[in-house]
Amino acid sequence: MPIAKKTKTFYITTPIYYVNAAPHIGHAYTTVAADILARWKKLEREEYFFLTGTDEHGLKIQKKAEEAGKNPQQFVDEISDGFKILWKKLNIDYSNFIRTSDLFHKKAVQSALRVLWDRKAIYKGSYEGLYCVGCEQFKMETDLVNGKCPDHNTAPEHLKEECYLLKMAEMQGALVKKIETDEFCIAPNKYKIEILSFLKKQKLKDISISRKNVSWGIPLPFDTVHTTYVWVDAFLNYLTGIGWEGNPDKISSQWPPEVQLIGKDILRVHATIWPVILMHLGIDLPKKLFTHGHILAGGKKMSKTLGNTIAVDEMIKKFGADATRYLLMSAGTFGEDVDLTMERAAGKYEANLANGLGNLVARSLAMAEKIKTESGKWKVESGTQKSKMEIDIENYWKKYEEAINNYKLNEAMNEIWKFISACDEYIEENKPWKLEGNEKEEAIYNLLESLRHIAWMLRPFMPETSDKIFSQLFADEKERAVELSKVLNEAQKWGGMKIGAKIKKGENLFPRL
Ligand code: MSP
């Protein structure tokens, strides 16, 4: 368990993923986005804590383990490992990976439930309703389309059982106020509107927080015949993942999360059950819930029956990890539904990565190498005077930062690619290979210095590519270390390329498919 730090950190979370099946592209989408934001904070030299993990209890998983003929723990161990392996392949630099079957988590959940019970936020009763196992949620008639859950396309089961319930309605007024004032900010705004209108239309029903017939779960501390409802168990990961032991008076200074990334299908539970649990516990709400849309394939929901699913592993195999990160996050506006097909991804790979970025780096380094001295140093003595590129770069940085700080990840990347196009135009206009002497050196300086900025901008999005560009621009390890130790606003200044630095053209960044 990582030790909770003393200073306020930028705390960011992803949902914890169900381990009923191997990880899919939707999981990768949220996790890559969180990784980008965490790496951006790292670049800004802010303390950050990035939590992800797996949601391992409940009926859905219990059933899958039974089907596979495995004991549930063995079953979840294997699938949870699959997530870790995928995150490694995608260069996801999380601070902690929480598993809800961890003993530490289970004990903390029991302590928290004991507190809620002692405070009379929980009472014994019974619940009757329509339960969708896919969602692990009770559904209202109005949630269904032709009697089926629209997310899982299955009819929910009718369930009636003795259970423990959490008082919801008594917190409703206070919750609405926190959402309205953005103390608990729901972004983008359309989701805030959606939740407020939902909360204003009806009184929240108390929810069942226990299951009698699900053995694969955390036993209630005050009635071990029942296990904890999987969503309650899961929400508490956001606290136990930073070392919380279940005592509301002892909470690490990392709390509350600056932002929790979630998909739109799990917004309502995150905007109702989750804050109500926290309010009963007397713990501050997260500052922001940022909701993203779904990845569609050719305009349709991805599904095995339609055969239009895109496997992340296949993308990584075909394009590489960084390109996959790029292709996922450039598929559209973060917050809206986005569309992805393998054909379109391949086209974008060729145009923007192999041709755009890859070609610019290769061409610029090839030109620079032609004026290299025997010692491998880059023979350029001029080039620090103000150039058009220098003036432009400030503007690109400004827009890039504005976008990333507002979770507009796609727009931030667009700024990088606009700058890449500007560099290509610069080459076409100036034809450095035709220039001589100082003029030639200056043109090449401008290009290499531009690449240095591009490498910095790429850092949160495509960390391996950024490293590869830096190794070409700063072939000397010590010089590279000096560059990489710069604080961001120093790195953003024009003129960071050292005249006479050692350069080395590398392999093509993005081989053609
Ligand atoms: N275990 C719960 C979350 C508990 S958090 C306290 C869960 N798990 S999940 O594995 O089903 O889904 C996790 C996330 O993946 C959700 O945010 C969901 O929106 C996201 N995605 C699932 N399919 C998706 C796409 N096709 N596109 C983008 N994200 C989608 O829910």
Side-chain angles (χ1 to χ4, degrees), residues 469-484:
I469 302 175
F470 277 124
S471 344
Q472 301 192 33
L473 297 176
F474 298 88
D476 179 283
E477 228 172 280
K478 276 198 201 124
E479 284 177 5
R480 187 158 73 242
V482 171
E483 175 65 18
L484 291 176

Side-chain angles (χ1 to χ4, degrees), residues 211-226:
R211 295 298 308 272
K212 213 170 175 181
N213 299 314
V214 180
S215 58
W216 182 236
I218 305 174
L220 294 185
F222 41 83
D223 187 347
T224 51
V225 171
H226 296 251

Side-chain angles (χ1 to χ4, degrees), residues 15-18 24 26-27 55 231 234 238 263 265-266 292-295:
I16 48 171
Y17 305 113
Y18 284 131
H24 62 68
H27 301 140
D55 189 353
W231 272 98
Y238 298 136
D265 55 320
I266 57 172
H292 64 73
H294 279 179
I295 302 184

Side-chain angles (χ1 to χ4, degrees), residues 14-20 24-30 54-55 60 83 134-135 152 230-231 233-238 261-266 270 292-296 301-302 338:
T14 70
I16 48 171
Y17 305 113
Y18 284 131
V19 288
N20 57 309
H24 62 68
I25 200 153
H27 301 140
Y29 186 63
T30 325
T54 41
D55 189 353
K60 174 157 69 173
F83 277 88
C135 296
H152 294 93
V230 63
W231 272 98
D233 169 354
F235 282 133
L236 293 172
N237 97 85
Y238 298 136
L261 299 186
I262 53 167
K264 63 178 186 180
D265 55 320
I266 57 172
H270 271 84
H292 64 73
H294 279 179
I295 302 184
L296 306 175
K301 194 178 146 107
M302 279 188 211
V338 301

Side-chain angles (χ1 to χ4, degrees), residues 188-404:
N189 201 47
K190 66 170 180 183
Y191 291 115
K192 171 178 170 178
I193 295 170
E194 183 187 307
I195 288 297
L196 281 175
S197 96
F198 169 77
L199 285 173
K200 284 177 180 170
K201 245 188 269 161
Q202 63 240 292
K203 194 168 147 232
L204 285 176
K205 252 171 97 178
D206 293 348
I207 61 141
S208 164
I209 59 103
S210 68
R211 295 298 308 272
K212 213 170 175 181
N213 299 314
V214 180
S215 58
W216 182 236
I218 305 174
L220 294 185
F222 41 83
D223 187 347
T224 51
V225 171
H226 296 251
T227 56
T228 311
Y229 172 46
V230 63
W231 272 98
V232 172
D233 169 354
F235 282 133
L236 293 172
N237 97 85
Y238 298 136
L239 284 155
T240 61
I242 53 167
W244 188 64
E245 291 176 358
N247 178 350
D249 300 326
K250 281 197 193 151
I251 191 152
S252 120
S253 62
Q254 276 150 318
W255 192 263
E258 211 67 35
V259 64
Q260 302 204 281
L261 299 186
I262 53 167
K264 63 178 186 180
D265 55 320
I266 57 172
L267 168 64
R268 199 190 291 169
V269 277
H270 271 84
T272 53
I273 304 176
W274 171 222
V276 168
I277 294 174
L278 288 171
M279 287 158 89
H280 278 300
L281 287 170
I283 295 176
D284 287 344
L285 301 195
K287 292 194 186 159
K288 189 185 288 247
L289 266 187
F290 190 94
T291 311
H292 64 73
H294 279 179
I295 302 184
L296 306 175
K300 295 202 181 96
K301 194 178 146 107
M302 279 188 211
S303 84
K304 289 199 181 118
T305 17
L306 285 178
N308 63 349
T309 53
I310 298 177
V312 201
D313 268 320
E314 200 185 306
M315 281 185 82
I316 299 173
K317 221 188 261 160
K318 186 159 182 182
F319 306 117
D322 264 8
T324 300
R325 291 168 66 106
Y326 169 80
L327 293 166
L328 283 177
M329 295 323 298
S330 68
T333 305
F334 193 56
E336 304 292 326
D337 282 349
V338 301
D339 203 69
L340 197 73
T341 62
M342 266 317 233
E343 295 72 43
R344 202 159 339 115
K348 249 175 144 176
Y349 175 95
E350 290 286 350
N352 298 347
L353 299 178
N355 285 337
L357 175 59
N359 199 28
L360 175 68
V361 173
R363 271 170 109 188
S364 308
L365 264 294
M367 285 189 261
E369 291 230 312
K370 286 206 179 121
I371 53 167
K372 218 162 70 166
T373 63
E374 276 157 24
S375 60
K377 292 199 174 169
W378 177 41
K379 189 184 139 285
V380 162
E381 275 129 28
S382 54
T384 44
Q385 56 263 65
K386 254 197 178 348
S387 74
K388 184 174 174 303
M389 307 236 95
E390 172 181 4
I391 297 159
D392 283 353
I393 194 71
E394 276 181 30
N395 198 28
Y396 286 108
W397 268 116
K398 198 172 146 243
K399 289 192 178 149
Y400 167 95
E401 282 192 41
E402 226 169 70
I404 204 167

